[in-house]
Amino acid sequence: MYRFFIHRPVTTIMFMMSFVLLGLYIYNRIPVDRLPNVDFPVVSVSTTYPGANPDVVDTNVTRYIEDEVSTISGIDAIVSQSYAGLSSVNIIFNLDKNIDIAAQEVRDAVQRAYRRMPSGIDPPVVRKVNTGSFPILAIHLHSNSVDYQTLAYYADKVVKREFQKINGVGDVGIGGFRDNVLWVRLYPGRLYSYGITPVDVLNAVVKNHLETPAGAIYGKDKDYIIRLYGKVKDPKELENTYIKGNIKLRDVGYVEFTEDEKRGVARFKGEQSIALIIYKQSGFNTVKVADAVKQKMEELNQKLPPGMHMDITFDASVFPKESAKAAIEEIAIGSFLTGLVVFLFLGSLRLTLIPVIAIPITLFSAIIFLYYTGNSLNTFTLLALAVAVGIVIDDAIVVIESIYRRREEGIPPIQAAEVGTRVVVFALLASTASLVIVFLPIIFLKGVVGSFFGSFALTLAVAIGVSYIVAISFTPMAGARMITQTKENIFMRIYSKFEAFFDRLLRWSLDHKLVVISFSLLTVLLGFMFVKLSKKEFFPTTDEGAFIVRFETPIGTSFDFTDQKAKEVEAILLKNPYIDRFGIAIGQGVAGRPDVNGGQAFIFLKDRSERPHQKIIMNQLRQELSKIKDIRVSVEAFPIVMSAGRQTDITYAIRGPSLEELQKISQKMVSEFRNRPGFKDVDTDLRLNEPQIKISVDRAKLGDLGISVEDVGTTLNILFGKYKFGTYEVGGESYDAYIKADPQFLENWQNLNKVFLRTKDGGLIPLTQVVNLQIAPGYHVINRYDRQYSFTFYANLSGKSLGDATAEVESWLRNNLPPGYTFQAVGQTKEFARAFRGLAFAMLVALISIYMVLASLFESYRHPFTVLLTVPLSLSGAFGLLYLTDTSLSVPSYFGIILLIGIVVRDAVLFIERIIQLREEGYETRDAILQARRERLRPILMTTMTIVFALLPVSLGLTAGSELRQPLAISVIGGIASALPLSLLVLPIVYELFDSIRIKRR
């Protein structure tokens, strides 16, 4: 095959140009994103049970749903919450489960469960939850001069609708928003004085505010539909409604069209605002959708009324763009350094260009592959391209060096190209196969790591495969025409002296095998020691320039109290010199919360050049925010794994049969870990002690007076609930209409004494004569995990590795949980454990696969074993450098070690393959070793040093997103530093030992 290309230079050049031109075309079109597009299959079931308390909801709704859906295959976990009047069940499926099939199976199961439930329960709502669709933008529409109703109108009716039209926008959430509603407000004191009950008012309002068909007229020539338009057009009309006799609604209350109750609010740097949270559709690119939204935002800003403006408080597209730009810069610098290494070894710019041309060809080929397989340029694919720079040039270097050596021997150019390529083509095939086979187990890994690093492995495998094609096509063709004798430079002269030194060292090593092997074993033992000392974590904390502050006040605290605490949080944020801007949202609906006692803030930091690392700022804020009384605060970075629910460094679900016992465990656990160093934001989701007014009825009295329990419930709901009786139309918009007591009446629970019911004889009786009132704590929410009562333990880490932290938490749980109570890692903690198990298995499979491939290529059981003996020599360097640079053993560094296996094996294959060739040509064992050293030392050093220099910019960790790339580079460079010199000595020793044994057996 290579002969065809050597003799067809124009065809070869056109072939290579096709990769470059198509790659350039696609490069401007391939999407850029933070992470690969991974959707976690989650289906949610929401069911409303009006008036039911949490334990009734748990017994009559949640458990029925759990029982039915648990029979569905592919479920990873079932997580449920039972609130007052609401059941929420999340079914989390394995990643390989089709979300559409899962949703349909859940619908069928829920229908079966619904038939078993008591009457009065609303039909369950089943929907798919796109957890991969994390918010891409948080935009605050804010003003200090415009009234709230105007601000709300523009946010909901103008801005939101414009954003929803943009291609790729999946949903636009709105925080701190209160829509206009029609309120019927009652004065309970006046109701009693007029002898009227809240139910009387409700009945009158419903009967006098409606539209309904009223039949039809069938004439000889025309038919007419009769429609009654009975809805009021103005609030004053409804006030004139007669309730009883001559008593009008305005006598016992009032009607107004105004904003909804203030149960949530948003602010931008202290100004009133409404937050618009933008979600993208699944499969669309973050950067493109965000850019389109920002362009529309700028257009709308020009049209908004004076004093009203939109600003961004969170932008998920900034980090991917900065990270991609930084990665491309690292690739460019790495390519230059790689070319410099080749130039120093070969001493000719013309010779240097031949292998260096392989870099753009292979990188563009990988980009073509990514584009047509639906992948993006993200953190992991860009990391693969950065690694590829140092690897894809290697095959070309080996070929060009082999041709160069034949030219030095006086062979004519074309013949030198043919001979030089033929000598190394098998070694290239073996080394390429060993590198590619390393990544195959990664592609088949399950879970998050397999989904994220599958694209990394495929990208690198494609780049390596294309580099082999370039090495046997373009490189020999160009080498036959461009290789000439060059003058020695200073580096080449130094290298000649190094070769002479290494030749003496190799001869000495072959004569002192025991010393070299003993020293090598010591380095391996040292490597295992560093393995134990290494910190372990899932992924390093990345400085994205943005994070979240969550806060919560005690259960039962009012919205006003929570808002006051939020202002204290804002005051601290405003004083921080490193925060560029932030938006805060408080109350109901924030992050899906059903209550008012909490909120969250999106923090956007200044440029990296103007501040320290994000981790330092987060720790500063933790210390300052912890000084605020009556508030729990959690400062959280955006997780690498976006999944359903809250995400922290440490997440454990603790399960058991008793909620009261779980509460004791929760309190004990929180108290313990809040005082342990390294644990921050320690909290659980157990919320049992909600202040409640429990009302129990006296059925005997109710029966005597002709009052039903429904009458009691309806009366209370009208006054203290939010009873919807219809809608109110203004222009082309429809608004909800509610009836409720005057706000002042709702401020004191003792006003329950002023509520009256109508008896069967028409008189009024105080509520307190037929019910008993008791203030007592009650369940706020009942949590269940995999069909057992549970609570979730949360903690973030600072100065402590995830591996150490999980060991501490699990040790405490094993020693403190009573019989019948269990625990399970969830969220990122679960993925951390799953990832390390999977990667260890992938490494084992990679080693076995390499052995099998090499055994097939060499047709030998012995030679692959000899090659694999060099792999442990990289341990001391890889783990030693991770330890010395205080870099944790994380998923990226683990991948570096797997990559290192392929690199070490490739170098060993180049060496041993030539020894085998020379032995077949009749050389004695030692002569073959020394001759192979003379021929292969330079290409091995060149290929290894190109990888080191290609990864050098990445290892410095100076650019955006480098935290995820740096560990891989450090582990590879460290591993090469120990494996290269030792393997060059150990491999010949082992080969000679095995060969002497083989000869003796004969």
Side-chain angles (χ1 to χ4, degrees):
M1 182 179 177
Y2 56 85
R3 291 190 181 92
F4 170 84
F5 291 107
I6 291 172
H7 294 281
R8 300 292 295 271
V10 175
T11 302
T12 305
I13 291 172
M14 293 301 104
F15 181 52
M16 295 298 113
M17 285 293 293
S18 65
F19 287 105
V20 175
L21 293 176
L22 183 59
L24 283 170
Y25 173 80
I26 286 176
Y27 176 73
N28 294 317
R29 287 161 178 77
I30 191 169
V32 177
D33 219 327
R34 178 176 181 257
L35 298 169
N37 187 30
V38 179
D39 290 336
F40 296 83
V42 178
V43 178
S44 73
V45 183
S46 298
T47 311
T48 302
Y49 190 179
N53 57 36
D55 53 338
V56 172
V57 172
D58 174 60
T59 303
N60 293 287
V61 181
T62 303
R63 295 195 185 194
Y64 287 144
I65 294 173
E66 289 179 343
D67 290 345
E68 292 295 339
V69 300
S70 63
T71 61
I72 300 172
S73 63
I75 291 179
D76 187 50
I78 301 175
V79 184
S80 67
Q81 293 86 34
S82 298
Y83 298 93
L86 176 66
S87 166
S88 175
V89 182
N90 283 323
I91 303 97
I92 305 167
F93 290 89
N94 298 325
L95 275 176
D96 54 0
K97 182 79 172 184
N98 183 288
I99 184 65
D100 294 316
I101 295 174
Q104 186 56 52
E105 290 178 337
V106 170
R107 288 189 188 96
D108 294 341
V110 168
Q111 283 300 314
R112 294 194 300 269
Y114 185 57
R115 289 194 289 267
R116 299 167 56 194
M117 295 179 192
S119 60
I121 299 174
D122 294 343
V125 178
V126 179
R127 66 185 182 93
K128 295 179 288 186
V129 180
N130 183 12
T131 57
S133 184
F134 193 75
I136 61 169
L137 284 169
I139 298 173
H140 279 248
L141 177 66
H142 59 96
S143 175
N144 260 345
S145 57
V146 177
D147 66 274
Y148 181 82
Q149 286 195 29
T150 304
L151 193 71
Y153 174 82
Y154 273 91
D156 185 46
K157 304 298 188 289
V158 179
V159 176
K160 179 181 177 180
R161 293 178 182 180
E162 288 295 323
F163 286 162
Q164 287 174 329
K165 295 176 185 176
I166 297 172
N167 188 36
V169 171
D171 189 24
V172 180
I174 191 162
F177 171 73
R178 303 187 301 280
D179 203 356
N180 284 337
V181 297
L182 183 72
W183 280 114
V184 174
R185 292 289 191 175
L186 303 179
Y187 298 118
R190 296 186 187 180
L191 289 174
Y192 176 69
S193 64
Y194 282 103
I196 294 173
T197 67
V199 176
D200 296 333
V201 179
L202 174 64
N203 291 334
V205 168
V206 170
K207 291 177 181 178
N208 289 280
H209 179 71
L210 58 85
E211 291 181 358
T212 180
I217 295 176
Y218 305 110
K220 290 183 178 180
D221 299 320
K222 289 185 178 181
D223 290 346
Y224 298 91
I225 300 297
I226 304 173
R227 178 172 289 277
L228 173 65
Y229 290 90
K231 284 192 174 182
V232 299
K233 303 300 181 184
D234 184 271
K236 298 301 178 184
E237 288 185 48
L238 198 58
E239 285 188 349
N240 290 322
T241 300
Y242 285 96
I243 308 299
K244 184 179 180 182
N246 293 324
I247 303 167
K248 295 182 178 181
L249 176 56
R250 68 187 181 194
D251 298 324
V252 293
Y254 59 93
V255 182
E256 61 178 348
F257 181 65
T258 184
E259 63 196 52
D260 203 347
E261 291 176 309
K262 194 173 184 180
R263 305 295 284 169
V265 70
R267 286 189 288 270
F268 174 79
K269 298 175 73 172
E271 290 186 5
Q272 70 165 347
S273 74
I274 294 174
L276 296 124
I277 311 300
I278 314 297
Y279 298 84
K280 72 178 180 70
Q281 292 180 19
S282 179
F284 280 79
N285 177 246
T286 298
V287 173
K288 287 186 178 179
V289 176
D291 286 346
V293 173
K294 286 186 283 187
Q295 183 179 351
K296 177 60 68 174
M297 185 190 79
E298 293 302 323
E299 293 175 9
L300 292 173
N301 269 334
Q302 303 298 320
K303 301 175 183 178
L304 291 173
M308 195 183 297
H309 195 266
M310 280 187 285
D311 278 289
I312 296 171
T313 58
F314 169 69
D315 186 351
S317 70
V318 171
F319 178 73
K321 285 191 284 189
E322 290 182 350
S323 181
K325 180 182 177 183
I328 291 168
E329 289 173 355
E330 290 172 350
I331 290 170
I333 296 170
S335 300
F336 170 77
L337 294 176
T338 298
L340 180 62
V341 170
V342 177
F343 175 76
L344 291 175
F345 272 98
L346 299 181
S348 167
L349 185 60
R350 293 177 66 188
L351 292 182
T352 301
L353 287 175
I354 298 173
V356 167
I357 286 173
I359 295 176
I361 295 172
T362 51
L363 294 188
F364 280 127
S365 300
I367 290 173
I368 294 168
F369 169 81
L370 289 172
Y371 181 78
Y372 283 109
T373 53
N375 287 292
S376 60
L377 286 180
N378 54 63
T379 299
F380 299 104
T381 53
L382 284 168
L383 177 58
L385 295 178
V387 172
V389 168
I391 294 177
V392 299
I393 200 174
D394 294 351
D395 289 349
I397 287 174
V398 173
V399 172
I400 207 70
E401 199 278 338
S402 181
I403 298 172
Y404 183 78
R405 186 173 295 278
R406 296 330 178 263
R407 291 288 288 124
E408 286 181 327
E409 295 171 0
I411 300 176
I414 299 297
Q415 187 181 352
E418 292 180 357
V419 174
T421 306
R422 186 182 70 246
V423 168
V424 299
V425 70
F426 183 81
L428 292 181
L429 178 62
S431 61
T432 300
S434 63
L435 270 173
V436 171
I437 204 70
V438 162
F439 299 108
L440 287 183
I442 296 168
I443 297 170
F444 299 104
L445 278 180
K446 300 292 184 181
V448 173
V449 173
S451 301
F452 282 175
F453 274 93
S455 57
F456 168 90
L458 282 172
T459 304
L460 208 47
V462 168
I464 292 168
V466 173
S467 73
Y468 176 76
I469 296 173
V470 174
I472 63 172
S473 57
F474 175 80
T475 304
M477 182 280 297
R481 290 159 178 81
M482 297 176 66
I483 291 179
T484 57
Q485 296 294 323
T486 58
K487 295 181 180 179
E488 279 194 344
N489 56 32
I490 296 175
F491 180 83
M492 294 171 72
R493 288 194 289 271
I494 294 172
Y495 175 74
S496 297
K497 294 179 180 179
F498 170 78
E499 266 200 336
F501 164 75
F502 187 80
D503 190 64
R504 294 193 298 272
L505 180 62
L506 179 57
R507 292 175 186 273
W508 182 90
S509 300
L510 290 169
D511 293 331
H512 299 81
K513 294 181 177 65
L514 185 60
V515 175
V516 176
I517 291 175
S518 299
F519 179 77
S520 300
L521 289 174
L522 284 175
T523 65
V524 174
L525 292 174
L526 185 65
F528 282 110
M529 183 190 74
F530 281 126
V531 171
K532 293 182 179 181
L533 293 174
S534 297
K535 298 183 298 181
K536 297 176 180 65
E537 62 181 342
F538 189 29
F539 281 93
T541 301
T542 307
D543 187 349
E544 298 191 29
F547 54 89
I548 298 174
V549 174
R550 302 181 194 269
F551 57 91
E552 183 178 317
T553 53
I555 288 291
T557 50
S558 67
F559 172 78
D560 290 337
F561 181 88
T562 303
D563 190 26
Q564 181 57 44
K565 292 299 173 181
K567 289 176 181 177
E568 295 181 39
V569 172
E570 287 177 274
I572 291 173
L573 297 177
L574 285 167
K575 292 178 184 177
N576 193 292
Y578 304 122
I579 294 177
D580 183 60
R581 56 191 182 274
F582 68 89
I584 194 166
I586 310 135
Q588 283 181 346
V590 177
R593 64 182 312 117
D595 38 39
V596 299
N597 66 314
Q600 68 180 30
F602 279 112
I603 313 298
F604 207 80
L605 300 177
K606 293 181 178 178
D607 188 80
R608 288 165 61 100
S609 60
E610 302 177 42
R611 59 174 175 80
H613 194 280
Q614 177 177 309
K615 289 190 293 186
I616 298 173
I617 301 170
M618 291 171 67
N619 284 331
Q620 288 177 349
L621 284 176
R622 282 192 182 103
Q623 293 177 1
E624 294 172 17
L625 293 170
S626 65
K627 299 174 184 176
I628 302 176
K629 296 180 179 179
D630 298 320
I631 189 172
R632 299 176 181 179
V633 180
S634 177
V635 182
E636 303 171 8
F638 294 115
I640 195 75
V641 179
M642 303 298 185
S643 59
R646 181 178 169 187
Q647 296 295 307
T648 51
D649 295 333
I650 293 287
T651 316
Y652 278 88
I654 291 84
R655 298 173 292 179
S658 168
L659 283 170
E660 287 70 23
E661 184 64 33
L662 285 171
Q663 185 173 27
K664 294 176 184 177
I665 297 169
S666 171
Q667 293 170 346
K668 186 177 178 182
M669 194 173 184
V670 169
S671 175
E672 172 69 25
F673 285 96
R674 277 183 178 169
N675 295 318
R676 288 200 184 189
F679 288 88
K680 306 294 181 183
D681 308 327
V682 176
D683 195 10
T684 73
D685 64 352
L686 199 62
R687 305 286 186 269
L688 298 184
N689 296 325
E690 181 180 49
Q692 296 181 357
I693 299 172
K694 297 183 178 181
I695 300 177
S696 55
V697 298
D698 187 328
R699 295 186 180 274
K701 290 183 179 179
L702 288 177
D704 292 341
L705 296 170
I707 302 171
S708 68
V709 176
E710 182 183 9
D711 294 336
V712 177
T714 303
T715 300
L716 291 171
N717 199 8
I718 292 171
L719 293 177
F720 297 94
K722 193 176 177 183
Y723 199 101
K724 182 179 177 181
F725 66 85
T727 60
Y728 176 68
E729 281 66 42
V730 178
E733 303 292 341
S734 180
Y735 300 91
D736 291 332
Y738 296 104
I739 184 169
K740 195 170 185 177
D742 180 66
Q744 290 185 348
F745 185 80
L746 303 172
E747 293 177 355
N748 191 338
W749 71 270
Q750 291 181 341
N751 283 334
L752 284 165
N753 295 318
K754 301 177 182 178
V755 176
F756 291 84
L757 304 168
R758 189 175 302 283
T759 63
K760 61 184 178 182
D761 59 7
L764 297 182
I765 187 172
L767 170 72
T768 51
Q769 288 192 14
V770 294
V771 301
N772 295 314
L773 305 180
Q774 179 188 10
I775 296 179
Y779 296 147
H780 173 66
V781 58
I782 297 175
N783 300 307
R784 288 165 63 85
Y785 188 92
D786 280 344
R787 305 169 69 190
Q788 284 187 290
Y789 289 134
S790 71
F791 71 85
T792 304
F793 174 79
Y794 300 105
N796 286 311
L797 303 175
S798 178
K800 184 182 288 289
S801 72
L802 183 58
D804 292 340
T806 54
E808 285 187 43
V809 173
E810 292 186 7
S811 174
W812 188 91
L813 288 169
R814 289 191 187 95
N815 294 328
N816 289 274
L817 288 185
Y821 291 78
T822 59
F823 66 90
Q824 181 175 331
V826 296
Q828 293 202 85
T829 313
K830 180 178 181 179
E831 292 299 334
F832 163 72
R834 180 185 288 174
F836 272 61
R837 287 195 304 269
L839 289 171
F841 177 74
M843 186 180 294
L844 178 62
V845 173
L847 289 169
I848 295 172
S849 301
I850 289 172
Y851 179 87
M852 295 174 67
V853 169
L854 293 182
S856 301
L857 292 172
F858 286 125
E859 194 58 35
S860 167
Y861 297 111
R862 175 168 49 91
H863 298 320
F865 181 72
T866 305
V867 168
L868 290 176
L869 283 177
T870 61
V871 171
L873 302 176
S874 62
L875 289 177
S876 59
F879 288 99
L881 192 58
L882 287 173
Y883 177 77
L884 293 174
T885 56
D886 197 31
T887 305
S888 61
L889 176 60
S890 57
V891 171
S893 52
Y894 220 130
F895 268 84
I897 293 165
I898 293 175
L899 172 62
L900 190 60
I901 293 173
I903 295 171
V904 172
V905 167
R906 184 209 57 193
D907 289 344
V909 166
L910 286 175
F911 200 170
I912 199 169
E913 189 271 344
R914 186 54 180 157
I915 296 174
I916 294 169
Q917 280 186 350
L918 293 170
R919 289 285 287 130
E920 290 174 352
E921 293 174 12
Y923 281 71
E924 293 296 326
T925 303
R926 175 129 341 162
D927 293 337
I929 290 171
L930 295 174
Q931 180 61 29
R933 194 283 307 158
R934 283 189 285 272
E935 294 185 20
R936 294 292 166 89
L937 178 62
R938 182 164 60 180
I940 288 174
L941 289 177
M942 288 173 66
T943 56
T944 306
M945 289 182 67
T946 55
I947 294 173
V948 171
F949 277 83
L951 291 177
L952 193 60
V954 182
S955 68
L956 297 177
L958 302 175
T959 56
S962 60
E963 296 91 344
L964 289 174
R965 301 187 292 270
Q966 186 183 29
L968 183 145
I970 289 175
S971 60
V972 170
I973 292 173
I976 288 174
S978 65
L980 177 62
L982 289 173
S983 63
L984 288 172
L985 299 176
V986 171
L987 187 67
I989 290 173
V990 174
Y991 182 87
E992 190 172 65
L993 283 172
F994 283 171
D995 208 42
S996 63
I997 294 171
R998 181 180 61 84
I999 293 170
K1000 287 178 181 179
R1001 284 181 177 178
R1002 286 183 177 179

